[in-house]
Amino acid sequence: MSGHSHQSWGRWPRASQQVLPLYWPDDQLPATGDLSLLPRGNGRSYGDVCLNDGGALLDCRQLNRFVSFDPEHGRLACEAGVLLGDIQRLTLPRGWMLSVSPGTQFVTVGGAIANDVHGKNHHRAGTFGRHVVSFELRRTDGSCLQCSPSENPELFRATVGGLGLTGVITRAEIQLKPVSGAYLDQQTVSFDHLDRFFELAAEADRQHEYTVAWIDCLARGPELGRGLLMTADHRDEANCSEPARRRLSVPFELPVSPVRSWSVRQFNRWYFNRQRRNAGRRRVHYQPFFYPLDAVGQWNRVYGRSGFYQYQCVIPEGQAREAVSDILERVSDAGSGSFLAVLKRFGDLPSPGLLSFPMPGVTLALDFANQGQRTLDLMDSLDQLTHAAGGRVNPSKDARMSAAHFQQAYPGWKQLQGLADPGLSSSFWRRVTVAP
Amino acid sequence: MTRALIIGATSAIAGAVARLWAEQGHALFLTGRNPERLKLLRHDLLARGAARVETAVLEVTDTLQQEAVISQAVQTLDGLDLALLAHGSLPGSDDWHSSPEAARLAFEVNATATITLLTRLTGLFESRQHGTLVVISSVAGDRGRQSNYLYGAAKGAVSLFTQGLRNRLHGGPVRVITVKPGMVDTPMTRSFDKGLLWATPEQVAIDVVRAVSRGRDVVYSPWYWRWIMLVIRLLPEWLFKRLRL
């Protein structure tokens, strides 16, 4: 038993917990007595859904074996600790790729299910959970259940997006999608104002498989919400080569974070202008398009010792234009905006999980360096705007939303609590399930 | 296509080596004690590109079974190019400090079984004029320390045996590679607190595969253990015996 303190990707909040590894899918879950346990994948969640302060974490990364791959139908079965990037590398040369890919390839299959992650093709494919054929769930009472949309369907719905609280996912079977190769045709269009995004985005979704926009959230006034809309489609080119290896990494936690409003403002301006000059069509490898931040190892260290928050909300279509504009104004006024604010329309394909985040509308994701109460106050005020517009905040990335906000935005939480494994808990779950 | 026999395949280091060899399209014959786990490994390695994966249950201390399993491997894969000996167990000091039986068993698994296996495999490879033996020893075998001198004595025996064997076979077609990992984060060491010097099985596996392709003799893994152990071996005994290592 080792006592490492594992962090989440946001490096905040800090938590201290025992870490117990699970090496084989048929190993007994460790007995932790009165301590609660939380299954954990690669720890890429930003907030505290992957922390269990005062309890124990079950490290599932060694459950990383493939079980079977059927190259005729694109069905892959593997253990839950397999990383998404390893799946891509295995199946791409045989003509298949993940149906849904989040913004980093360094997440496990179990984590992708438990957070019901989404990607740049949400308008076509919905969330990751929609492509999960079945999984095996082990509970702390010793039971082991097969779950699929038709077998133990209640537990299936509770576990997809269930933040690891219903049991330990040990194996899963997923459906991949056929592709010719590793390359995409990417098109970049710049827009000078948020309004223009809304005009472009709906049409882009109709035409393209992948769409995502980057917003300069520190631009104000007539430039509010200026940004770049990137779209991409698979090329009909049977080239499965790997891209050039990444070389950059942030070797250690920076003692003083260089992320200040002036430096971010300069960076965003430089990035916007550079990309605008490069606008147009390009042939790109899927990795830099899907996983741009993976190019810099441990990039979360640039925020220094106090870490950062990611704020991601979704606003229903009708209210989106106004609410996103209000949020950006608030952020820009506060001057604490981030690199690479991401804006994307979600499609209307239903998410399978009780607690899945995506719903039809527009989602905005922002990073904020942790500057204490000031940052918390800003995000609370964003919650109010989100809430008033009928939207909600993504639990997988959250480290601070109030119990009241969570419970109102996710009425399914009561049902999840009923289906949760009593031996499991997380810092997040204890925080948002208290009586408001 | 390279044909490799892996003894102790369910160990973390062997598992990581097997993956790299599978990705290179090797044909593999795996032995271990747990048939269910061997089956999990087989499916994984096939998916990763191994030309072929067969398995057999082997309790390494059973010398009769050793012979049977080796000939099964040779027959199934139609010959052998490589053998990796990676089985082992780390006895808890509570057991062997007071129990001679536990001490004997630990030595049998970690030293005697390895030496008998090596003797059989050397005979086989010599008769076929071809083959490479890769043995996972340990830095623990470089000097006896109070925390693990039983394990260290067994690994030291393996290191010396392979050294002598390499010396005898020099100039011939059969090669012997001794791998000495430092502290590795595996199920065998699950009860230890992990610090800076700890490596992952995947790091060690890369060193093992490289040692085979480059034909090295003795490989410390990760590399810095060569220098750490050099210093530890050079300490005079009057000083060393006072240290808590």
Side-chain angles (χ1 to χ4, degrees):
Chain A
M1 201 175 290
S2 60
H4 290 270
S5 66
H6 276 41
Q7 293 176 319
S8 68
W9 191 247
R11 304 171 69 80
W12 190 266
R14 306 223 163 224
S16 149
Q17 58 241 313
Q18 284 179 13
V19 181
L20 308 165
L22 191 67
Y23 292 107
W24 297 89
D26 56 353
D27 271 344
Q28 290 282 331
L29 298 186
T32 51
D34 290 340
L35 290 185
S36 70
L37 192 66
L38 178 70
R40 167 158 164 143
N42 210 26
R44 288 292 173 130
S45 292
Y46 290 84
D48 56 359
V49 298
C50 61
L51 299 176
N52 192 13
D53 198 16
L57 292 175
L58 186 69
D59 183 345
C60 298
R61 285 175 301 178
Q62 295 305 313
L63 301 181
N64 58 6
R65 299 165 200 96
F66 290 107
V67 177
S68 64
F69 174 52
D70 170 2
E72 205 163 310
H73 304 100
R75 283 279 175 94
L76 177 92
C78 64
E79 293 176 3
V82 169
L83 295 179
L84 298 190
D86 290 339
I87 295 180
Q88 305 279 52
R89 265 182 290 282
L90 179 83
T91 62
L92 192 65
R94 292 186 249 182
W96 298 89
M97 180 179 259
L98 290 166
S99 301
V100 167
S101 216
T104 168
Q105 55 182 323
F106 300 119
V107 301
T108 63
V109 169
I113 296 173
N115 293 285
D116 198 16
V117 298
H118 59 270
K120 297 173 177 61
N121 60 348
H122 183 274
H123 56 288
R124 294 270 173 98
T127 62
F128 192 90
R130 291 179 63 90
H131 308 278
V132 174
V133 178
S134 66
F135 52 79
E136 181 184 89
L137 192 67
R138 301 196 51 210
R139 312 248 299 176
T140 55
D141 63 7
S143 60
C144 180
L145 299 155
Q146 281 298 321
C147 301
S148 74
S150 58
E151 195 177 0
N152 294 310
E154 268 206 316
L155 214 44
F156 182 84
R157 262 167 52 74
T159 304
V160 172
L163 308 175
L165 299 161
T166 57
V168 180
I169 302 170
T170 44
R171 277 185 261 241
E173 189 177 0
I174 58 176
Q175 178 62 50
L176 307 173
K177 71 171 181 186
V179 292
S180 318
Y183 284 87
L184 307 168
D185 271 324
Q186 182 191 326
Q187 205 167 357
T188 306
V189 181
S190 70
F191 51 90
D192 293 325
H193 192 270
L194 187 63
D195 287 344
R196 185 79 183 119
F197 164 81
F198 282 92
E199 291 163 26
L200 291 169
E203 185 54 28
D205 283 358
R206 269 188 292 279
Q207 287 182 14
H208 300 285
E209 177 130 15
Y210 303 100
T211 66
V212 67
W214 170 82
I215 297 267
D216 177 359
C217 59
L218 291 177
R220 338 167 66 137
E223 291 186 324
L224 182 82
R226 70 171 177 180
L228 303 154
L229 178 68
M230 287 163 247
T231 61
D233 298 280
H234 287 281
R235 284 173 65 90
D236 191 14
E237 176 189 333
N239 180 343
C240 298
S241 59
E242 281 283 295
R245 289 262 298 167
R246 66 179 177 152
R247 281 284 171 263
L248 286 170
S249 183
V250 182
F252 51 84
E253 183 177 84
L254 304 180
V256 177
S257 170
V259 182
R260 292 281 173 266
S261 67
W262 63 268
S263 55
V264 176
R265 206 180 288 277
Q266 294 312 314
F267 173 85
N268 283 2
R269 177 167 302 150
W270 168 80
Y271 186 80
F272 178 76
N273 285 320
R274 196 187 79 135
Q275 292 297 320
R276 188 161 54 179
R277 276 197 303 278
N278 293 342
R281 258 178 188 290
R282 273 198 314 148
R283 173 179 171 275
V284 294
H285 194 274
Y286 77 92
Q287 285 184 22
F289 181 76
F290 287 174
Y291 319 119
L293 286 172
D294 286 353
V296 184
Q298 299 284 321
W299 62 265
N300 56 342
R301 288 174 172 165
V302 303
Y303 285 98
R305 205 179 143 65
S306 43
F308 69 106
Y309 294 99
Q310 179 158 101
Y311 187 86
Q312 184 179 21
C313 61
V314 55
I315 314 281
E317 195 81 55
Q319 279 70 46
R321 191 185 288 234
E322 207 175 326
V324 171
S325 164
D326 289 347
I327 289 174
L328 287 177
E329 252 170 61
R330 189 77 51 98
V331 170
S332 167
D333 287 348
S336 26
S338 57
F339 299 116
L340 299 180
V342 174
L343 195 59
K344 153 131 197 90
R345 277 182 82 244
F346 280 148
D348 50 13
L349 292 167
S351 303
L354 272 179
L355 235 58
S356 294
F357 163 68
M359 64 178 180
V362 172
T363 181
L364 174 68
L366 307 152
D367 293 345
F368 296 112
N370 176 16
Q371 296 172 336
Q373 197 55 40
R374 200 178 134 210
T375 316
L376 292 171
D377 290 345
L378 171 65
M379 287 188 290
D380 280 343
S381 77
L382 302 185
D383 278 358
Q384 282 162 14
L385 295 170
T386 300
H387 204 70
R392 60 194 186 197
V393 172
N394 189 352
S396 314
K397 298 182 175 180
D398 179 67
R400 35 62 53 191
M401 81 166 114
S402 70
H405 188 105
F406 171 76
Q407 293 176 15
Q408 198 163 357
Y410 294 92
W413 79 276
K414 275 265 172 209
Q415 214 181 329
L416 178 64
Q417 199 171 39
L419 290 162
D421 184 324
L424 305 181
S425 183
S426 67
S427 292
F428 172 83
W429 197 239
R430 289 188 292 276
R431 180 164 62 76
V432 298
T433 52
V434 294
Chain B
M1 183 187 56
T2 305
R3 299 152 298 179
L5 166 68
I6 303 182
I7 309 278
T10 56
S11 83
I13 292 175
V17 174
R19 264 187 196 178
L20 296 177
W21 282 346
E23 282 160 12
Q24 294 175 4
H26 288 14
L28 305 172
F29 193 96
L30 315 178
T31 83
R33 279 180 299 175
N34 183 326
E36 286 306 312
R37 290 181 178 178
L38 287 172
K39 207 163 101 188
L40 296 177
L41 288 178
R42 176 169 185 269
H43 291 151
D44 177 59
L45 297 169
L46 284 172
R48 287 174 193 270
R52 189 164 176 195
V53 183
E54 301 300 335
T55 66
V57 173
L58 171 64
E59 176 63 66
V60 285
T61 50
D62 182 339
T63 46
L64 285 177
Q65 212 187 358
Q66 283 182 359
E67 183 65 53
V69 165
I70 290 172
S71 23
Q72 193 189 339
V74 173
Q75 268 178 13
T76 325
L77 300 185
D78 193 25
L80 268 189
D81 308 294
L82 259 174
L84 171 67
L85 277 65
H87 63 276
S89 72
L90 188 65
S93 54
D94 291 348
D95 301 334
W96 58 270
H97 279 178
S98 54
S99 158
E101 188 53 24
R104 186 186 64 78
L105 189 65
F107 202 85
E108 237 172 55
V109 171
N110 292 306
T112 316
T114 312
I115 288 169
T116 48
L117 278 164
L118 279 171
T119 309
R120 285 178 209 284
L121 286 163
T122 305
L124 174 80
F125 284 174
E126 276 189 301
S127 71
R128 300 185 169 226
Q129 289 291 294
H130 170 73
T132 299
L133 294 160
V134 191
V135 186
I136 307 291
S137 183
S138 169
V139 295
D142 280 12
R143 192 152 193 183
R145 292 173 295 129
Q146 61 176 319
S147 55
N148 68 353
Y149 57 89
L150 174 59
Y151 181 75
K155 288 299 193 182
V158 169
S159 293
L160 277 182
F161 186 88
T162 50
Q163 191 174 42
L165 187 63
R166 186 165 36 246
N167 186 208
R168 171 164 83 80
L169 298 176
H170 177 69
V174 181
R175 279 166 41 205
V176 184
I177 300 170
T178 315
V179 181
K180 298 182 180 178
M183 296 180 288
V184 188
D185 187 357
T186 69
M188 194 175 86
T189 55
R190 73 193 308 164
S191 61
F192 290 69
D193 278 335
K194 314 290 191 299
L196 251 186
L197 291 174
W198 286 74
T200 63
E202 288 74 23
Q203 287 172 284
V204 176
I206 291 171
D207 287 343
V208 171
V209 169
R210 194 178 295 148
V212 172
S213 60
R214 295 187 184 170
R216 300 276 299 277
D217 295 327
V218 180
V219 180
Y220 285 82
S221 178
W223 59 271
Y224 46 74
W225 284 100
R226 180 180 294 276
W227 308 107
I228 296 174
M229 294 320 294
L230 178 67
V231 172
I232 289 183
R233 280 199 315 270
L234 288 175
L235 290 176
E237 190 64 20
W238 61 264
L239 172 64
F240 188 78
K241 73 177 182 191
R242 291 173 163 81
L243 300 179
R244 297 197 152 268
L245 286 169

